[in-house]
Amino acid sequence: MEERTRAALAALVAQTRVFLLDMDGTVYIGDHPIGAMRETLAAVRASGRRVVYCTNNSSKTAEQYVQKLSRLGLYDGRDLVYTSGMATAEYLRETYPDARVYLVGTDALKADFAAAGVRVADEDADVCVLAYDTTLSFEKLCRINEYIVRGKPYIATHPDAVCPAPGVYPPDVGSFIALLKVSSGREPDVICGKPYTVMGERLCARLNVPAGQIAMAGDRPHTDIRFGNNNGFSTLLVLSGETDAEKAKTLPASDRPTLVIDSLNDLAEVL
Ligand SMILES: [Mg+2]
């Protein structure tokens, strides 16, 4: 690491109480931790800082991520996994506390919503929510389209067009949003996940930490870094995932990070 980068990274770490971490491309790739990530994260925790994993994927529950991270040796009981689905459930509880909610989502997410106190209902819903439903059916599409056309509040968990996976990336919520835009003429009133502000606001409230003491690290400029910038967090773009050094030099202002580092393991040098 260049001396200038090391000094800037040390200054960023000094003001940070919580590290929000993207997962794929940032702490692991597929099923493999990146370099000495276990030791790096252990050092972050030992310094008294919190590790919070942050994902837009609302088809899985936090518990499913805890299992994967534990298997890779990247999870500790002090950590938190926070999904766009959790942020959406908290947003609904606060904004529409008594509403009946039609949710296009997996059974696991429905159970999570119910456990969070959201009244999930198929009939006579007041609000409709579009999540990453890997069990999506024509019937569900028709039903949410009806609610949207009738003018009900329309919330989406996150905007990603495709979901990273081996081979061809499958369509994600952003693609469902585009379909429903064509059929209904409407786009979501609110999108909760990265890069927007609902998830950031819910995280600050839940962690009771001001935005200036949070650092977001990720490999995708237009989701991870823009999310941090939109929420007033400092931002670390890591080059261990889908962004290379060349691309990092030509980012629009909205997606420009506080610092570019080779990998999150650079943190170990300044902790
Ligand atoms: Mg990533």
Side-chain angles (χ1 to χ4, degrees), residues 84 87-88 91-92 95-96 127-131 152-159 173 177 186-193 196-199 201-202:
S84 67
T88 303
Y91 174 80
L92 290 167
T95 314
Y96 304 101
V127 177
C128 57
V129 175
L130 180 62
K152 300 293 182 187
Y154 166 29
I155 319 290
T157 54
H158 62 288
V173 170
I177 288 172
R186 283 181 65 195
E187 293 191 70
D189 300 305
V190 174
I191 303 179
C192 294
Y196 300 108
T197 54
V198 169
M199 196 163 173
E201 288 161 3
R202 298 317 316 158

Side-chain angles (χ1 to χ4, degrees), residues 66 88 92 131 141 144 169 197 203 219 248 253 260:
V66 168
T88 303
L92 290 167
L141 272 176
I144 192 167
Y169 290 2
T197 54
L203 270 167
D219 67 320
V260 179

Side-chain angles (χ1 to χ4, degrees), residues 7-123:
L9 185 58
L12 184 152
V13 168
Q15 68 170 34
T16 298
R17 307 310 311 163
V18 173
F19 281 98
L20 290 185
L21 306 180
D22 169 59
M23 288 185 264
D24 210 348
T26 302
V27 297
Y28 57 70
I29 292 176
D31 269 328
H32 303 282
I34 294 169
M37 194 57 67
R38 289 172 197 161
E39 291 76 12
T40 298
L41 295 178
V44 170
R45 297 180 195 108
S47 76
R49 295 177 175 84
R50 187 103 190 257
V51 171
V52 176
Y53 293 101
C54 181
T55 177
N56 264 0
N57 189 343
S58 57
S59 73
K60 291 189 180 154
T61 64
E63 186 49 40
Q64 288 171 298
Y65 279 108
V66 168
Q67 282 171 16
K68 170 162 187 178
L69 290 161
S70 299
R71 185 159 49 77
L72 300 182
L74 301 174
Y75 187 79
D76 178 279
R78 292 167 283 183
D79 301 348
L80 172 69
V81 173
Y82 199 69
T83 70
S84 67
M86 292 162 72
T88 303
E90 289 176 13
Y91 174 80
L92 290 167
R93 285 283 297 143
E94 186 173 278
T95 314
Y96 304 101
D98 300 314
R100 292 166 62 87
V101 174
Y102 180 63
L103 171 64
V104 172
T106 57
D107 286 345
L109 187 68
K110 279 184 187 163
D112 263 14
F113 268 42
V118 175
R119 293 174 66 197
V120 179
D122 283 349
E123 309 289 337

